[in-house]
Amino acid sequence: MRASAYVLRILIVVFGVAFLLNVGLAAKSTSTSVNALDALSQAGVLAALCAPLLYAWVLRDQAKRLSEASAAREGRAKFRALLDSIAEIAVIVDSDGRITDMNRMAEAVFGYEHTELLNQPIEYLMPERFREAHVAQRESYMANPRRMPLGSGRELIGRRRDGSEFPIEISLSPIESGGDARVLALATDISHRRRMERERQETNSAAWTDEAVLVTDLAGTIQFVNRAFERMTGFSGEEAIGKNPRILKSGLQAKAFYDQMWEALRGGQVWESRFINRRKDGSLFHQDVTITPVVDAGGNITHFVSSGREIPAEAFELRAANDSGASANQ
């Protein structure tokens, strides 16, 4: 409300009260007759005298309120800027575990608008199967809040708006806000770390197998070979990594064979077949190979893992002779 309108309302009230008081006092006096004009005049004088004082008081009160509101907005803006400057996911919850604030990184990662999550329980951001257990953990923590930095082993599963899940590592820090106990939770998406750890375990175990193993990226560039691959092909790891598996191509298999292979692999299927490959020294060898697509948490193919065992020449010649004999008898 504007100051002038506010003052006008007060003056109307003052004028009305003064008028009624003058009329009432005059009516009680036996020597004075009730004169409405005099009562109106006196009430008007009183209102006129009060007007500047009231206006000054209202202006000062509104100025104070505006100043406090401006300071609050400025403080809020600074707090939001600070929260948004944090590189990790940042979510603030109250003592009941309800979300009171979050930064833009949290909005981007989880896929929610800021207003959609306000006053929601923090368990809203995790899969339903974990929510009940997390409530008990949260209540236990809030009974004795303490700082828990990243790397302290606190890991959870987050759930995005589209339902996809991802692993996160969190840190917790109690904060005071207007006398209320709140907690700042910082979270880091560790999907990439988990994927790298899994791939490293797979390649480490593959390094000791008798089968030749090579790992390529989506474009077919070799990322890893094991020792059996080096022994079987004659190519060292340094020579093979960064190259395409075409370095083993003998040229004795039709283009349609490789077209069918890539169609199956890019469709997410496992490919099993016999390859005629060529070693570094130019000699040929036969290999039964299985190629498996590796997918991430979102179902996207990221790598291909090939494992193959060499077929001894004697076994291959015997099989070829048997196949030839069977054809002749038909």
Side-chain angles (χ1 to χ4, degrees):
M1 186 185 299
R2 287 187 175 183
S4 56
Y6 190 58
V7 170
L8 181 59
R9 289 189 178 186
I10 295 177
L11 287 177
I12 292 173
V13 173
V14 171
F15 180 84
V17 171
F19 174 75
L20 292 175
L21 285 174
N22 285 329
V23 171
L25 291 173
K28 288 182 179 181
S29 174
T30 55
S31 60
T32 307
S33 61
V34 178
N35 190 321
L37 289 178
D38 289 343
L40 286 172
S41 177
Q42 292 174 10
V45 170
L46 179 60
L49 291 173
C50 291
L53 297 175
L54 284 172
Y55 195 73
W57 175 75
V58 169
L59 285 179
R60 186 176 64 179
D61 182 67
Q62 287 198 343
K64 181 180 178 181
R65 291 184 181 181
L66 287 173
S67 177
E68 291 174 350
S70 177
R73 284 195 300 270
E74 183 178 355
R76 175 66 179 169
K78 289 181 179 179
F79 177 76
R80 285 296 308 172
L82 178 62
L83 200 61
D84 288 336
S85 69
I86 299 175
E88 290 89 4
I89 300 165
V91 180
I92 297 177
V93 299
D94 62 17
S95 57
D96 294 325
R98 295 191 174 275
I99 298 171
T100 62
D101 218 332
M102 63 192 302
N103 67 352
R104 291 178 182 174
M105 178 62 74
E107 296 177 34
V109 172
F110 285 101
Y112 289 98
E113 293 292 332
H114 182 269
T115 53
E116 292 179 282
L117 291 175
L118 290 181
N119 208 37
Q120 291 284 1
I122 188 64
E123 288 79 19
Y124 192 75
L125 296 177
M126 60 183 59
E128 287 190 24
R129 63 186 184 277
F130 298 125
R131 292 178 183 177
E132 184 176 352
H134 186 265
V135 169
Q137 294 173 357
R138 169 172 55 77
E139 291 176 347
S140 175
Y141 172 83
M142 292 305 297
N144 180 30
R146 58 208 177 278
R147 186 173 180 273
M148 298 178 63
L150 285 171
S152 59
R154 186 77 171 135
E155 295 183 8
L156 296 171
I157 300 297
R159 181 182 181 276
R160 300 183 181 90
R161 183 173 189 170
D162 62 9
S164 60
E165 300 178 6
F166 62 105
I168 56 176
E169 184 179 55
I170 69 169
S171 71
L172 302 174
S173 299
I175 57 176
E176 290 293 331
S177 178
D180 296 329
R182 300 191 180 186
V183 175
L184 170 63
L186 299 180
T188 301
D189 184 346
I190 57 173
S191 299
H192 179 70
R193 186 201 305 173
R194 287 287 173 266
R195 185 166 61 251
M196 295 300 293
E197 289 174 354
R198 184 171 61 251
E199 290 174 2
R200 184 166 61 251
Q201 291 172 354
E202 290 172 353
T203 54
N204 285 342
S205 61
W208 299 99
T209 183
D210 290 334
E211 295 187 355
V213 174
L214 67 86
V215 179
T216 73
D217 61 14
L218 195 59
T221 303
I222 298 174
Q223 305 290 307
F224 168 84
V225 298
N226 69 347
R227 294 171 186 174
F229 174 92
E230 295 177 327
R231 291 194 301 269
M232 193 179 298
T233 67
F235 288 98
S236 67
E238 291 78 8
E239 292 173 313
I241 292 174
K243 302 293 195 311
N244 189 283
R246 283 192 295 269
I247 60 176
L248 303 176
K249 192 173 182 180
S250 66
L252 298 178
Q253 289 175 288
K255 179 177 180 297
F257 172 84
Y258 294 100
D259 289 343
Q260 290 175 358
M261 178 190 74
W262 282 113
E263 182 179 0
L265 292 175
R266 287 167 180 156
Q269 302 176 38
V270 176
W271 174 265
E272 295 181 334
S273 189
R274 176 163 296 176
F275 285 73
I276 305 174
N277 287 331
R278 189 182 301 276
R279 296 184 176 89
K280 181 180 178 181
D281 63 10
S283 60
L284 300 176
F285 67 102
H286 295 77
Q287 188 182 26
D288 283 338
V289 176
T290 299
I291 307 176
T292 305
V294 177
V295 298
D296 60 17
N300 302 307
I301 298 174
T302 60
H303 295 81
F304 298 105
V305 177
S306 169
S307 61
R309 187 179 298 275
E310 182 178 356
I311 304 171
E314 302 81 21
F316 178 75
E317 290 170 1
L318 178 61
R319 178 174 177 176
N322 291 337
D323 290 346
S324 177
S327 299
N329 293 329
Q330 292 179 350

